[in-house]
Amino acid sequence: MNLFIDYQTKILKLLKKLESKEIIKIPKKINSITIELPPKNQEAHISCNAAMLLAKENNQKPIEVAKILVKHFTKDFKEFNSVEIAGPGFLNISFNQKFWKNYLNQVIKLNTKYGSNKLKKKKYNIEFVSANPTGPLHVGHCRGAVLGDTLANIFTFNGNNVTKEYYVNDYGGQIKIFVNSVYYRILEIIKNEPFPSNLELYPGDYIIDIAKEVIKSKSIKDFSNLKKIFNLLSKKSISLSMKIIENNLKMLGIKHDNFVYESNLVKNNLVNNVIKKLKVKNYVYNGKLDVPKGEQTKEWKQRDQLLFRSSLFGDDTDRPLQKIDGSWTYFAGDMAYHSNKISRKFDILINILGADHAGYTKRIISVTKAISNNKVDLICKVSQLVKLFKNGEPFKMSKRKGDYITIEDLINEVGADATRFIMLNRSNDVEFDFDFKKVTEKSKDNPVFYVQYAYARINSVFRSLKVNLKSNLKINNEKYLLNNHELEILKKIAEWPKCINLSLSKLEPHRIPFYLYELATLFHSYWTLGNVNKEYRFINEEKNLTRLALLQAVSIVIKNGMTILGVSTPEKM
RNA sequence: CUGCCUCUAGCUUCAACUGGAUAGAGCGCCGCGCUUCGGACGCGGAGGUUGGGGGUUCGAAUCCCUCGAGGCAGGCCA
């Protein structure tokens, strides 16, 4: 059920009928004829741009075409209360009471499914977070995590099959540093050897915790030779680190369906295989890279290396696959990973990346095209930077210095609900200044509470009336007429499926918190009217069901929306 | 130097249904309402050359070009 799409279809059908009767001519750009929301100063419920788009083809002014359409619209659609011509030729349409009451009944009947769009089912794979398994997640990871999870919720809500995936980068240089760090912490604990300051190591306290856990597990007895135990220690440390990360995600209400380990891809020869395949297609070759312009040339030594021809697919340059020591680059592993994704036959692949990896999107999209012969599209969503501030001062986080705010810190201070709502309450490709102090101070007038409060107020009405909010109401021929305030709320409710549809097709979840805020505003505003004028109270002598049904519908939409956002809806606050 | 992202009200917050009507919210500011079906509320006001300039058309914050500002990135980190 989507008012805007339904009436687009119905009106197009009518236009075709009119064409067959030679009343009007229809231009080719027929799909641009849409149903829109009238501007806020208009009382109309929906608005149609048909007359303006038909004008040229019919050699008439938009207003003249509009006059013809008004005649046929009112004749064909009994549910239209009025059709008026406005502005340059918009048709402003209002529905009658019967239509809206019926609409309310349908919303309530659909309940948890209201807002979901009937589209072709698709199989989605969405990869997000994928942070290095070298320690707890920090605030910077949070935005991408929440974005990915919420997108996944939107896909699921619309009836799709979704796999939430985490790519564990457990192969490469950072891991060595991490395992070394754990090793020296272990020596510090059991042999009292001072933690070296001359080596490149992670100083964070969580390394000590991991070291303690390794000792406790007793799976390694002799720590005298790092080389001998490296593989085992690495496996152990990474698994402990992943436990921390999964726990962090759990605090945000996030649970991945699948974890893919880079080391497994290497071990199972997947990297080799992909490179072999691409060599055959001549997409992988041995060659030299040009020195990047503007780079200091001192450090740069041109050398022969294994390269992927990503420049063929729109990337700026070809990309290296092998390091100087012969081991694979991160990109080579990711290539194998994406080949693996493709082989699992998803309809849509999505990667959520942090802003600092934005330069990476072109090459990974290239590789997906190369492997799938241009058949599979990978969509990369970049979640822009979260700039951290502490007391108004920019705050740089560094894993190396062990100086950063973890997700755990954040949630303990602000709570998961507010964290998710704040992170989602802006477009993901806009930078986001996050003042830790300010957010914790302001948590009380955070928009999330405003929306939750509306839900709690509705619950309070149903509690006082001793009516179960969870059992569906139904309006039968009640004489009560919805007033303008109520129609405003209903209009907003009717907008919900459109909001979901846009969030889905544009992959922009931020529309949902904005929408919910607006719905809550209309509700609170109406509620306050009841303080002044008893006519507007939900609990009144008339005991009309329609008004109560409207309340129930609002609660349904808030509930559905908040569930998608991963934010709770308490019945009392 | 090159690529990507961003620029909308006083603002360290952001919308604008993807080309539609008089560009809207939040915070802050000013002025009100309510001894409540829960004040974690509501109403009103001031505040704008949508970073500058040009172009495309019935119509541009939105598309194209150009200039400016900020951010991120640029093989042997991930």
Side-chain angles (χ1 to χ4, degrees):
Chain A
M1 188 163 72
N2 183 326
L3 201 59
F4 299 87
I5 292 174
D6 291 351
Y7 275 91
Q8 184 185 29
T9 317
K10 284 182 184 175
I11 285 172
L12 284 181
K13 210 170 147 193
L14 173 61
L15 292 177
K16 278 177 191 157
K17 201 174 92 184
L18 295 179
E19 189 185 37
S20 69
K21 288 185 182 171
E22 291 181 8
I23 297 169
I24 52 159
K25 289 178 197 160
I26 298 178
K28 280 178 191 162
K29 285 199 298 180
I30 190 165
N31 284 332
S32 310
I33 296 177
T34 53
I35 302 298
E36 290 158 16
L37 214 58
K40 299 202 170 171
N41 55 348
Q42 302 282 338
E43 274 195 19
H45 302 152
I46 57 173
S47 136
C48 180
N49 62 356
M52 281 132 72
L53 290 161
L54 291 175
K56 216 175 202 175
E57 189 77 16
N58 289 280
N59 246 330
Q60 292 190 46
K61 285 180 182 167
I63 303 281
E64 297 305 317
V65 182
K67 280 179 186 163
I68 301 171
L69 293 182
V70 169
K71 211 171 77 192
H72 288 95
F73 278 20
T74 38
K75 207 170 106 193
D76 263 61
F77 297 105
K78 298 286 177 245
E79 66 274 33
F80 287 1
N81 200 29
S82 70
V83 182
E84 278 161 10
I85 303 167
F90 285 100
L91 293 170
N92 282 346
I93 300 164
S94 297
F95 294 103
N96 61 25
Q97 291 273 334
K98 197 178 158 195
F99 172 88
W100 282 120
K101 284 180 190 167
N102 182 40
Y103 192 89
L104 259 180
N105 281 337
Q106 286 184 64
V107 171
I108 293 168
K109 203 173 158 194
L110 284 168
N111 208 311
T112 54
K113 288 205 173 70
Y114 175 63
S116 155
N117 289 265
K118 271 187 207 156
L119 301 164
K120 216 176 149 193
K121 262 193 191 179
K122 284 180 182 165
K123 206 176 153 196
Y124 282 83
N125 177 292
I126 181 161
E127 180 204 335
F128 59 107
V129 188
S130 297
N132 284 348
T134 55
L137 299 178
H138 56 69
V139 183
H141 295 119
C142 196
R143 193 174 188 186
V146 172
L147 173 66
D149 191 54
T150 304
L151 280 173
N153 287 344
I154 293 173
F155 303 148
T156 311
F157 182 68
N158 283 285
N160 299 291
N161 184 314
V162 184
T163 303
K164 291 180 274 182
E165 210 154 277
Y166 190 120
Y167 179 52
V168 186
N169 176 233
D170 60 342
Y171 170 94
Q174 296 299 319
I175 291 296
K176 269 184 201 161
I177 298 173
F178 168 63
V179 177
N180 287 345
S181 309
V182 175
Y183 179 72
Y184 286 110
R185 285 299 185 194
I186 290 173
L187 293 190
E188 186 185 45
I189 296 165
I190 61 175
K191 292 186 179 166
N192 233 338
E193 284 181 19
F195 192 66
S197 56
N198 55 336
L199 300 176
E200 199 187 3
L201 298 170
Y202 296 135
D205 285 349
Y206 63 91
I207 299 279
I208 301 172
D209 298 335
I210 291 173
K212 281 179 187 161
E213 283 291 320
V214 172
I215 297 166
K216 215 167 105 189
S217 75
K218 292 184 179 164
S219 49
I220 301 169
K221 301 230 161 74
D222 181 9
F223 287 101
S224 54
N225 189 336
L226 175 59
K227 267 190 188 161
K228 268 189 191 165
I229 58 163
F230 187 87
N231 283 341
L232 191 55
L233 181 62
S234 157
K235 211 177 150 191
K236 199 79 201 161
S237 310
I238 288 165
S239 125
L240 286 167
S241 187
M242 283 309 293
K243 240 185 223 170
I244 296 173
I245 289 173
E246 281 181 64
N247 217 23
N248 287 167
L249 290 171
K250 200 173 153 196
M251 295 182 83
L252 278 170
I254 297 171
K255 192 174 180 301
H256 285 81
D257 303 308
N258 195 18
F259 291 81
V260 177
Y261 286 80
E262 184 181 13
S263 58
N264 278 343
L265 300 176
V266 176
K267 216 188 293 165
N268 297 330
N269 252 339
L270 280 177
V271 184
N272 272 318
N273 291 344
V274 173
I275 288 173
K276 239 184 250 168
K277 273 187 207 160
L278 291 177
K279 259 187 189 162
V280 174
K281 293 182 186 172
N282 197 23
Y283 291 152
V284 167
Y285 67 105
N286 266 296
K288 288 187 172 85
L289 277 182
D290 290 336
V291 183
K293 282 171 188 168
E295 187 88 353
Q296 293 295 331
T297 45
K298 281 183 229 161
E299 303 272 323
W300 179 278
K301 276 178 195 156
Q302 206 176 38
R303 68 174 183 97
D304 253 346
Q305 59 191 151
L306 200 60
L307 297 169
F308 169 65
R309 236 181 259 284
S310 50
S311 57
L312 273 185
F313 299 88
D315 200 357
D316 315 318
T317 171
D318 294 345
R319 303 292 177 175
L321 299 168
Q322 225 164 5
K323 297 182 199 171
I324 202 153
D325 67 357
S327 64
W328 300 119
T329 58
Y330 173 82
F331 178 51
D334 212 10
M335 210 155 114
Y337 174 41
H338 280 79
S339 152
N340 165 271
K341 275 190 195 172
I342 290 165
S343 71
R344 283 183 279 151
K345 302 218 181 298
F346 293 98
D347 297 313
I348 297 176
L349 299 180
I350 296 173
N351 281 10
I352 308 293
L353 299 167
D356 50 342
H357 293 133
Y360 189 74
T361 56
K362 276 188 184 172
R363 82 186 71 163
I364 200 67
I365 288 172
S366 301
V367 106
T368 310
K369 283 184 184 160
I371 295 171
S372 71
N373 294 320
N374 277 310
K375 278 182 191 145
V376 176
D377 275 324
L378 171 73
I379 302 168
C380 289
K381 267 303 225 192
V382 175
S383 81
Q384 282 300 325
L385 222 65
V386 178
K387 271 197 270 177
L388 286 172
F389 289 80
K390 227 178 179 179
N391 304 321
E393 292 292 311
F395 179 72
K396 285 259 177 197
M397 297 198 301
S398 157
K399 240 186 192 180
R400 297 204 174 151
K401 286 183 195 156
D403 184 21
Y404 61 94
I405 302 168
T406 63
I407 285 192
E408 203 174 338
D409 298 335
L410 179 66
I411 292 173
N412 287 339
E413 286 286 338
V414 193
D417 282 347
T419 302
R420 287 190 66 123
F421 205 94
I422 292 169
M423 293 281 172
L424 290 166
N425 201 18
R426 65 239 317 116
S427 158
N428 60 276
D429 42 30
V430 130
E431 281 174 28
F432 170 22
D433 294 332
F434 191 90
D435 193 318
F436 192 63
K437 197 82 182 223
K438 226 177 188 174
V439 170
T440 50
E441 277 169 9
K442 272 181 141 188
S443 64
K444 273 199 176 156
D445 56 15
N446 191 296
V448 69
F449 297 109
Y450 185 82
V451 178
Q452 286 178 326
Y453 186 46
Y455 187 80
R457 276 182 153 175
I458 294 172
N459 268 274
S460 134
V461 171
F462 278 75
R463 260 198 311 274
S464 332
L465 288 173
K466 299 201 166 68
V467 177
N468 188 355
L469 182 56
K470 295 206 174 76
S471 64
N472 293 353
L473 297 174
K474 191 168 183 231
I475 312 163
N476 297 308
N477 300 323
E478 197 174 67
K479 278 187 187 150
Y480 175 77
L481 294 180
L482 291 149
N483 62 43
N484 280 340
H485 304 283
E486 290 161 346
L487 284 173
E488 279 303 308
I489 296 176
L490 250 174
K491 263 167 78 178
K492 200 77 204 169
I493 290 174
E495 208 185 314
W496 171 238
K498 190 185 173 112
C499 171
I500 287 293
N501 200 11
L502 277 168
S503 309
L504 174 71
S505 59
K506 300 290 166 191
L507 305 179
E508 292 177 350
H510 72 270
R511 292 165 185 281
I512 296 171
F514 274 100
Y515 170 87
L516 291 175
Y517 191 89
E518 284 163 15
L519 178 64
T521 300
L522 289 175
F523 167 77
H524 286 307
S525 171
Y526 188 48
W527 177 284
T528 312
L529 278 181
N531 286 345
V532 188
N533 187 340
K534 291 201 171 163
E535 260 178 54
Y536 292 118
R537 296 200 168 192
F538 292 106
I539 300 175
N540 55 34
E541 284 172 8
E542 277 185 56
K543 295 186 179 167
N544 51 52
L545 208 57
T546 307
R547 204 176 271 179
L548 225 49
L550 179 68
L551 267 194
Q552 186 169 46
V554 172
S555 81
I556 285 169
V557 174
I558 293 180
K559 179 91 185 175
N560 290 354
M562 296 293 252
T563 306
I564 290 170
L565 299 181
V567 178
S568 70
T569 43
E571 292 175 9
K572 287 181 184 175
M573 285 175 75

